Amino acid sequence: MSGLLEDQPQESAPQEIPADEELAPKVRVTKKLRKNNIVPQLLATGIVSWLDILVGYASAYSSPAESTMIRDLNLTKSEASWISSLLPMGALVSSLTGGPAVEFLGRKKTLIVADTIFLLAWSINYFSRNYWSMYASRILSGCSVGITSFALPVYLAETLQPKIRGRLGLFPTAFGNFGILICFISGSFVEWRGLAGIGALLSIPFLVAIWIVPETPRWYISKKKNRRARVSLQWLRGSKCDVTKEIEELQYVKNNDKATFARWHLKVFMIVLGLMFFQQFSGINAVIFYTTKIFEKSGSFLDASVCTAIIGIVNFVSTFLAAVVVDKLGRKVLMYVSCTIMAFMLAILGVYFFLLDVKHMDLKLVEWLPLSCFILYVLGFSFGMGPIPWLMMGEILPATIRGQAASMAAAFNWTCTFVITKTFPLFVDSVGAHYAFWFFSVIMICSLVFLKLFVPETKKRTLEDIERILSAN
């Protein structure tokens, strides 16, 4: 493995730096990142990221389950629509109210609560006999999704070493995409009740395995449980690693923390909200939720369900590609590439649907174009703007407000999700699919300006180093 970048003591505040530069000057490599240091962190990441399989599975559930649910429960289209829409609403509510839990209970116990709610939600879903119980199930699932969306990035940011935080920090997104894929594939073989049973079964492994991993050392330090913090950090870094210096750094930051909301906190928080805004207004959830209908409308030569499955596979694989290079190229480079690809693909899709719907042209010669554009669009999203805003949220939010601010940022993200998913069909019906895609393309162009002017690079920096630099600017 390559060397671990360590922080050097700083005698004076660092100079202000441009947003597109790294947060701190390069420092020398002082020791090797041993394999026995990586394995515990890899294990912890894999276990806690399992929750994101449930997030992806719950998010995708309505698509394969809707038709058989309507048949068995005698649902109207309006009732079925609410079953789909209640998940982001539940996520919004739990994101707004879950901040105190992650600070009071701790990151680990908050994740346990989220998984327990998932198990309860899927159990209610499985035994449902009417739309009211389905409503309750989806609201509870949404609550778990919301809690996971902010507690999981915080846990990983506070436990992973800088050299591998980018790679392992993208695991949750990959797991979430895998959950979507599991749901789509399972939906080809079982109906809505069977899908709910699979969801309940997927909730159980986490409740067994989570007891292996520790609470984050930073949370223990914040509660003045220094001995437990050392034990936790020793587990995460390996038995042969000397954690004295890292513990001292954590204690120093805590002792010198004024625990007040400073002006620079607001600046960082607005950067996080900006990333969440551009992530959702890329149109990704509109594309994911309405992929089948879009392909049916496009006249593609492939079956719509096959196209949807291909998109799901691309979404899953591309996140691993990002994980390979995120710590080498940096967060911003991946987001630049991501936004550029999405802007181009959305613009091309807009032209395609303009010629199809407005000009009524025969586009049989380019029936392959919608699928190709969607594949590249999803590849671009999963490569950058999908996982990295969540990764950076855990990295740049100050320790003093990390739990509460992450909760609010997640709530904002789910608000945007709800707005996009509810308004996209109306937008398409009123102005046409071409204008909808062009609108999202313009948003992606604006995101490039935002990234250039405001977003810092955080690769290979400790959370304490990031916080020092941001507070000085």
Side-chain angles (χ1 to χ4, degrees):
M1 295 296 296
S2 54
L4 169 64
L5 292 178
E6 293 188 326
D7 298 315
Q8 300 299 319
Q10 299 185 12
E11 300 298 331
S12 59
Q15 299 296 317
E16 183 171 353
I17 57 174
D20 57 347
E21 298 296 330
E22 289 195 11
L23 281 175
K26 294 290 185 180
V27 292
R28 62 188 179 86
V29 175
T30 57
K31 65 179 180 180
K32 296 290 184 181
L33 185 60
R34 298 171 184 153
K35 288 185 178 180
N36 68 317
N37 292 355
I38 298 172
V39 172
Q41 295 172 77
L42 183 61
L43 177 62
T45 301
I47 290 174
V48 299
S49 295
W50 185 271
L51 265 182
D52 252 25
I53 293 181
L54 294 170
V55 170
Y57 191 90
S59 300
Y61 174 77
S62 294
S63 180
E66 185 177 66
S67 60
T68 53
M69 254 194 311
I70 292 175
R71 181 199 66 199
D72 293 348
L73 301 179
N74 296 316
L75 302 177
T76 65
K77 288 186 177 181
S78 175
E79 291 166 349
S81 174
W82 274 109
I83 289 173
S84 301
S85 303
L86 285 173
L87 185 138
M89 289 181 66
L92 169 60
V93 172
S94 64
S95 297
L96 284 172
T97 59
V102 79
E103 295 295 348
F104 177 74
L105 296 177
R107 286 59 164 138
K108 176 181 172 179
K109 289 181 180 178
T110 301
L111 293 175
I112 294 173
V113 169
D115 188 75
T116 304
I117 297 174
F118 262 132
L119 181 57
L120 175 62
W122 287 119
S123 299
I124 294 174
N125 189 312
Y126 183 83
F127 292 105
S128 288
R129 292 292 183 270
N130 54 58
Y131 65 90
W132 287 111
S133 54
M134 289 300 299
Y135 286 177
S137 168
R138 294 301 282 170
I139 290 173
L140 287 172
S141 290
C143 289
S144 292
V145 168
I147 293 170
T148 303
S149 65
F150 69 84
L152 185 50
V154 170
Y155 181 92
L156 293 179
E158 293 185 350
T159 54
L160 298 177
Q161 289 174 288
K163 188 70 174 179
I164 57 174
R165 191 172 60 235
R167 278 170 285 173
L168 298 190
L170 297 189
F171 268 42
T173 303
F175 278 47
N177 294 336
F178 185 53
I180 294 173
L181 196 57
I182 291 174
C183 191
F184 283 158
I185 294 174
S186 300
S188 302
F189 303 99
V190 297
E191 298 183 349
W192 68 273
R193 201 181 298 276
L195 286 170
I198 293 172
L201 292 175
L202 287 172
S203 306
I204 296 174
F206 179 86
L207 290 177
V208 176
I210 187 61
W211 302 103
I212 298 174
V213 303
E215 178 57 81
T216 73
R218 284 174 177 82
W219 185 79
Y220 278 136
I221 290 290
S222 72
K223 301 302 179 182
K224 300 180 180 179
K225 299 178 180 180
N226 295 342
R227 185 186 64 81
R228 291 188 181 183
R230 176 177 285 275
V231 172
S232 171
L233 190 60
Q234 193 70 68
W235 189 96
L236 290 163
R237 301 296 181 255
S239 59
K240 296 182 180 180
C241 183
D242 184 3
V243 298
T244 302
K245 183 177 179 181
E246 193 170 352
I247 282 290
E248 290 175 350
E249 173 77 357
L250 293 176
Q251 292 173 336
Y252 175 81
V253 171
K254 173 60 181 175
N255 293 337
N256 289 272
D257 190 359
K258 297 180 181 180
T260 56
F261 193 91
R263 187 171 63 177
W264 73 273
H265 289 177
L266 180 60
K267 176 183 176 182
V268 173
F269 183 60
M270 295 305 295
I271 292 174
V272 173
L273 291 187
L275 290 172
M276 296 301 177
F277 172 84
F278 286 112
Q279 181 198 69
Q280 289 305 314
F281 276 80
S282 67
I284 185 61
N285 276 307
V287 171
I288 293 297
F289 289 174
Y290 298 100
T291 298
T292 301
K293 292 180 181 179
I294 291 171
F295 278 120
E296 289 174 349
K297 183 179 177 62
S298 71
S300 174
F301 66 96
L302 287 175
D303 183 78
S305 60
V306 174
C307 294
T308 301
I310 292 174
I311 294 297
I313 293 171
V314 171
N315 196 27
F316 172 59
V317 173
S318 55
T319 308
F320 285 102
L321 298 178
V324 172
V325 297
V326 65
D327 282 321
K328 295 180 181 179
L329 299 180
R331 284 64 162 149
K332 290 187 67 173
V333 170
L334 294 190
M335 287 193 287
Y336 282 140
V337 174
S338 174
C339 294
T340 302
I341 292 174
M342 285 192 289
F344 273 115
M345 293 306 105
L346 289 166
I348 294 172
L349 282 169
V351 172
Y352 180 90
F353 280 95
F354 175 76
L355 296 177
L356 183 69
D357 295 337
V358 179
K359 297 299 183 180
H360 304 290
M361 293 180 61
D362 185 357
L363 301 177
K364 288 185 178 180
L365 291 177
V366 289
E367 284 183 345
W368 50 268
L369 188 62
L371 177 58
S372 300
C373 287
F374 273 116
I375 287 175
L376 291 174
Y377 169 81
V378 172
L379 176 65
F381 178 82
S382 300
F383 194 73
M385 284 304 290
I388 293 180
W390 295 108
L391 173 65
M392 292 195 69
M393 179 185 76
E395 290 181 327
I396 69 176
L397 286 176
T400 305
I401 63 169
R402 186 171 292 137
Q404 294 278 17
S407 170
M408 295 171 65
F412 178 75
N413 184 283
W414 283 107
T415 301
C416 294
T417 301
F418 182 76
V419 169
I420 290 295
T421 53
K422 289 299 287 183
T423 60
F424 181 75
L426 299 176
F427 195 11
V428 170
D429 291 341
S430 60
V431 301
H434 52 290
Y435 279 120
F437 288 123
W438 285 337
F439 169 77
F440 291 134
S441 180
V442 170
I443 294 293
M444 286 296 90
I445 294 172
C446 294
S447 71
L448 292 170
V449 179
F450 174 79
L451 291 172
K452 176 65 177 178
L453 295 179
F454 301 109
V455 179
E457 179 58 76
T458 59
K459 68 174 182 178
K460 300 179 182 179
R461 304 271 64 89
T462 68
L463 300 188
E464 289 71 35
D465 192 27
I466 292 170
E467 188 165 335
R468 280 195 296 264
I469 302 299
L470 289 174
S471 65
N473 290 334

